[in-house]
Amino acid sequence: MDSLLRGHLGCNSNKEAPDAARSEPAAGLVWLGRGPTGEGVAWGSSLSVRASPHEPDDGEVKVPRSNDSNPGPQKHDEGSCKTSSASVLLWPHHAATGSSVLCYRKGPDSNDRSQSVHIGDAHKDAVEEGLDHKSEADLVYSLNDRPPWYLCILLGFQHYILAFGGIIAVPLILAEPLCIGDNNAAKSQLISTIFFVSGLSTLLQTGVGTRLPILQGGTFSFITPTLAILALPKWQCPGLEGQVGLMEIQNDTGSLQTDPEEVWKSRMREIQGAILVSSLLQLVLGLSGLVGLVLKFIGPLAIAPTINLIGLSLFIEAGKKSGAHWGIAALTVCLILLFSQYLSKVDVPLIAYKDKKWKVFQYPLFKLFSALFGMCGAWLVCFLLTFFNALPSKADQYGYAARTDINLGAVTSAPWFHVPYPGQWGVPTVSVSSVLGMMAGVLASTMESIGDYYACARLSGAPPPPTHAINRGIAVEGIGCILAALWGSGNGTTSYSQNIAALGITKVGSRLVLQTAGLLMILLGLFGKFGAVFITIPDPVIGGMFLVMFGMIAAVGISNLQYVDLNSSRNLLILGFSTFSGLVLPTWFHSNPGIIDTGVKELDQVIVVLFTTHMFIGGFLGFVLDNTIPGTEKERGIKSWRKKVQEPGKSCSVDQSCYDVPFCTGSLHRFKYFQYLPFLPSYKVADPSED
């Protein structure tokens, strides 16, 4: 540490300071008292620091004074002494000695104001009385911290609730295309499975992936290609096409399948196979290090229409659910807006037991749980309207879908425990058209996750993730999608942006908290009745949640344009054409079924799936035009986008070792051939974040 301090600041720790300097610092310098076990750094205006008389000095270090009262992030801030114009920072091994430091500032009136602070246990989370409060960038628990077990459970459950809306939406969207709209048992099993797989993927990502506190869950990037696959004529539900559709449901032997269970399981196996094979692309991108190469050619003008069209393409699903009762859907939207926007600045006083006494603290309850409160509030209203029989009781009357007693049988008939297992719906089937269509979802999910890694690192007090961590994170996401395909969740997994945003609000960036959330998702996924409870949520409530959620997804795509020069006719042409084509072509193909007839059935299916996948068309056209039409990097927004994504946070509380693979770091650096593997910490390539 001495050599590091001297090399960085040009100090000489062997030089003894004169005694006079201990009482009055020389011009432009402050004196740093160094005890026998540690060093310290001091900066500020007219500040003098000296070791406690109770601790002998063995030398002092002279440090140039900075005019900046906040010169930059410091990794070790246990035991700090601050005044109104200056502060002293001690290294942890000095702070742990329990020494006292006397800080005093010479004021304008030449009266010394001193303050003695005893530096006790370095792990105390309470701030000593009389010291300044921590800045907003400070974390209560940083990446490697281990909060108490009860806090891990509470904070982990909070992350589970935040991800609840996005995870639960996936099986509810797929229910109709999978022909299980009225099959409550199947929907309950799907909900349990997707929570179970999300928990497994979260543990993998936080344990051996990027090792950042990032939650994994169902992704909407896979929804669009899934709907395109299930819209093929051979996968039309029997109830929609009558006997014609029923005749097309055949097994491998060619015999007719009339079993309702086999009807939806055959569709699920097709989706499983598509996700299973296409996710190998994500795995290869991560393990080979090709992610960095792909990123060089992808900018905001390719990402914006891709993510934007994910939200826009789902407006039909939102309209179907909301149209069951527009009043209830509007109530759900209003409640979500009330909690997330109008009451976002309102902190709720809560009571906590800490340091052997009860304390009242302010908590942003409405901001964190806006979607949950909004949905539960509308759900409660529907229950009251059902209880007082204010809603229609006949299925053919408008508003009947708002009743909460329609699917109560799902709760009573569901088993208490349901253990999801690989291949529970049968052996996945693979077709070329489905795999190619699903690859568009894989690429979109990959690009979105990379941005999430940098955002998560900033908010959890970690340095920007190096190349090997990003590669390993993408590879683990590919493994998570493969697990989801094997278990049969009907979807993949990706990083959840809303949980990353919660890190900045709660100031808790501990990896252990997210691992606890993963365990909770696994445990709750084993309770069959827990998944069945969500079947009773009325369709209009789900529709209202979709209106807000899908709108936010579309807006997130548009937000990438903040880095692009929107005064450029080149950029406006690329954006408008790619987005508009992504809406027009799928609509035309859906309106003209059977129009593609090349004579090769498999090729017909490939063309139909790709050209009915909104995000593929928008992203592909945006990618091609952005890389072929001449334009500067500044005009395209690539330089500012990368700079913003990769910029470090205001306060880094850990170093690059937080990205190391646990239990094998020493072995990785011992053998030279590991340095050629781009997903290991020993990888010898310059970090792109340093460019």
Side-chain angles (χ1 to χ4, degrees):
M1 185 63 72
D2 261 336
S3 61
L4 176 63
L5 196 63
R6 290 195 300 270
H8 184 65
L9 297 174
C11 302
N12 182 5
S13 62
N14 295 322
K15 183 178 179 179
E16 288 289 331
D19 292 337
R22 301 192 182 190
S23 57
E24 282 293 328
L29 297 173
V30 294
W31 294 104
L32 173 66
R34 180 164 64 89
T37 56
E39 303 83 30
V41 177
W43 63 85
S45 173
S46 300
L47 174 70
S48 177
V49 184
R50 67 181 180 183
S52 168
H54 305 291
E55 182 178 346
D57 293 344
D58 66 345
E60 294 181 347
V61 181
K62 185 167 63 177
V63 185
R65 183 175 60 199
S66 169
N67 293 325
D68 187 358
S69 61
N70 186 13
Q74 300 292 331
K75 295 178 182 176
H76 307 287
D77 59 353
E78 295 91 335
S80 62
C81 177
K82 297 184 179 180
T83 67
S84 59
S85 65
S87 62
V88 179
L89 182 65
L90 301 181
W91 296 108
H93 45 283
H94 189 171
T97 61
S99 63
S100 296
V101 174
L102 180 65
C103 302
Y104 69 92
R105 182 176 67 87
K106 202 174 186 65
D109 54 357
S110 299
N111 293 326
D112 292 345
R113 287 180 290 173
S114 62
Q115 180 182 29
S116 180
V117 181
H118 181 77
I119 310 297
D121 185 2
H123 298 287
K124 284 186 178 179
D125 56 358
V127 180
E128 296 292 340
E129 222 173 88
L131 301 184
D132 290 347
H133 293 291
K134 291 185 177 181
S135 65
E136 290 185 2
D138 290 336
L139 294 169
V140 179
Y141 294 103
S142 62
L143 183 63
N144 293 326
D145 289 341
R146 304 176 67 87
W149 64 270
Y150 55 89
L151 277 182
C152 287
I153 294 177
L154 290 176
L155 295 171
F157 186 73
Q158 173 178 272
H159 279 282
Y160 167 82
I161 294 298
L162 283 173
F164 163 80
I167 295 177
I168 198 71
V170 174
L172 296 179
I173 294 173
L174 295 180
E176 293 295 336
L178 286 173
C179 312
I180 56 173
D182 299 325
N183 191 338
N184 292 328
K187 285 191 284 187
S188 173
Q189 291 172 350
L190 273 184
I191 291 173
S192 296
T193 301
I194 195 169
F195 274 112
F196 184 85
V197 174
S198 297
L200 287 178
S201 301
T202 299
L203 291 179
L204 282 174
Q205 189 66 262
T206 55
V208 297
T210 59
R211 307 202 72 225
L212 289 168
I214 193 165
L215 188 137
Q216 304 286 293
T219 170
F220 289 102
S221 300
F222 285 18
I223 292 291
T224 305
T226 299
L227 295 178
I229 294 170
L230 295 177
L232 291 173
K234 69 173 183 176
W235 299 123
Q236 292 291 319
C237 293
L240 297 178
E241 299 294 335
Q243 294 299 319
V244 177
L246 188 62
M247 290 295 293
E248 295 180 353
I249 303 173
Q250 298 180 352
N251 60 12
D252 296 335
T253 63
S255 60
L256 188 66
Q257 293 293 321
T258 58
D259 181 12
E261 288 294 309
E262 184 59 28
V263 167
W264 76 268
K265 287 182 179 180
S266 62
R267 287 159 174 75
M268 177 58 75
R269 290 195 293 269
E270 180 73 10
I271 301 304
Q272 284 181 258
I275 295 174
L276 181 64
V277 178
S278 61
S279 297
L280 294 176
L281 172 64
Q282 196 171 23
L283 183 63
V284 171
L285 286 175
L287 296 180
S288 64
L290 290 175
V291 174
L293 179 63
V294 172
L295 280 178
K296 292 181 180 179
F297 300 98
I298 294 181
L301 285 174
I303 293 177
T306 302
I307 300 178
N308 184 29
L309 286 167
I310 294 175
L312 294 180
S313 63
L314 295 172
F315 75 94
I316 295 179
E317 300 298 322
K320 285 181 180 178
K321 299 288 186 181
S322 301
H325 197 298
W326 281 107
I328 298 298
L331 173 65
T332 306
V333 172
C334 290
L335 288 176
I336 293 177
L337 293 177
L338 174 67
F339 294 125
S340 66
Q341 303 301 319
Y342 295 103
L343 297 179
S344 62
K345 305 290 185 182
V346 178
D347 292 337
V348 179
L350 298 177
I351 301 176
Y353 186 75
K354 187 177 181 181
D355 297 334
K356 298 182 179 180
K357 59 181 178 180
W358 292 96
K359 294 183 179 180
V360 178
F361 66 98
Q362 303 295 321
Y363 193 73
L365 198 65
F366 298 127
K367 187 173 184 178
L368 285 176
F369 303 116
S370 55
L372 179 68
F373 286 169
M375 190 181 65
C376 290
W379 195 359
L380 177 62
V381 171
C382 290
F383 170 77
L384 295 176
L385 293 176
T386 303
F387 181 79
F388 292 107
N389 205 25
L391 294 171
S393 56
K394 295 183 179 179
D396 58 348
Q397 292 180 316
Y398 179 79
Y400 172 77
R403 297 184 67 92
T404 57
D405 57 356
I406 300 176
N407 298 317
L408 281 180
V411 181
T412 57
S413 60
W416 278 103
F417 296 99
H418 169 72
V419 181
Y421 58 92
Q424 57 185 332
W425 319 128
V427 179
T429 58
V430 179
S431 63
V432 177
S433 60
S434 300
V435 170
L436 292 178
M438 198 65 72
M439 281 186 178
V442 169
L443 291 175
S445 175
T446 301
M447 297 305 108
E448 186 181 1
S449 294
I450 292 173
D452 287 339
Y453 297 159
Y454 285 104
C456 185
R458 286 200 304 270
L459 293 175
S460 60
T467 301
H468 69 83
I470 294 176
N471 291 335
R472 197 166 60 251
I474 295 301
V476 169
E477 284 204 15
I479 294 174
C481 291
I482 292 173
L483 291 178
L486 293 175
W487 259 262
S489 68
N491 200 251
T493 59
T494 191
S495 305
Y496 263 41
S497 302
Q498 60 265 41
N499 290 79
I500 296 174
L503 299 178
I505 299 174
T506 62
K507 304 298 183 185
V508 175
S510 172
R511 181 190 299 118
L512 187 60
V513 170
L514 269 296
Q515 291 171 339
T516 305
L519 288 174
L520 286 174
M521 285 194 288
I522 292 175
L523 291 176
L524 293 176
L526 297 176
F527 287 93
K529 290 191 181 297
F530 177 78
V533 168
F534 300 114
I535 306 298
T536 64
I537 302 176
D539 282 354
V541 176
I542 298 171
M545 183 179 67
F546 284 177
L547 288 175
V548 178
M549 189 177 298
F550 298 161
M552 280 296 296
I553 294 173
V556 166
I558 296 173
S559 69
N560 287 278
L561 299 176
Q562 62 184 298
Y563 311 107
V564 176
D565 182 8
L566 291 178
N567 292 320
S568 169
S569 59
R570 169 196 181 275
N571 294 341
L572 293 177
L573 172 64
I574 295 173
L575 175 66
F577 179 72
S578 58
T579 303
F580 196 69
S581 299
L583 293 172
V584 171
L585 288 176
T587 303
W588 184 83
F589 273 90
H590 283 307
S591 302
N592 298 272
I595 197 70
I596 300 298
D597 187 7
T598 62
V600 181
K601 185 178 180 181
E602 289 74 15
L603 181 59
D604 293 346
Q605 291 180 357
V606 170
I607 295 174
V608 170
V609 170
L610 291 180
F611 282 89
T612 54
T613 304
H614 304 74
M615 55 183 288
F616 168 77
I617 297 173
F620 178 76
L621 292 177
F623 171 79
V624 171
L625 295 177
D626 189 34
N627 284 279
T628 54
I629 299 178
T632 64
E633 282 198 348
K634 182 178 180 182
E635 182 183 15
R636 297 168 62 191
I638 291 181
K639 182 175 293 186
S640 57
W641 176 66
R642 289 176 181 166
K643 182 179 179 181
K644 177 65 177 177
V645 167
Q646 298 179 357
E647 70 180 3
K650 296 180 180 178
S651 176
C652 294
S653 57
V654 293
D655 56 20
Q656 290 282 350
S657 64
C658 66
Y659 296 109
D660 290 347
V661 180
F663 309 120
C664 58
T665 303
S667 301
L668 294 178
H669 290 282
R670 189 177 302 120
F671 301 101
K672 290 185 177 180
Y673 53 83
F674 282 134
Q675 69 182 5
Y676 302 107
L677 299 179
F679 56 90
L680 294 178
S682 53
Y683 186 46
K684 300 296 183 182
V685 168
D687 190 350
S689 65
E690 298 173 359
D691 295 343

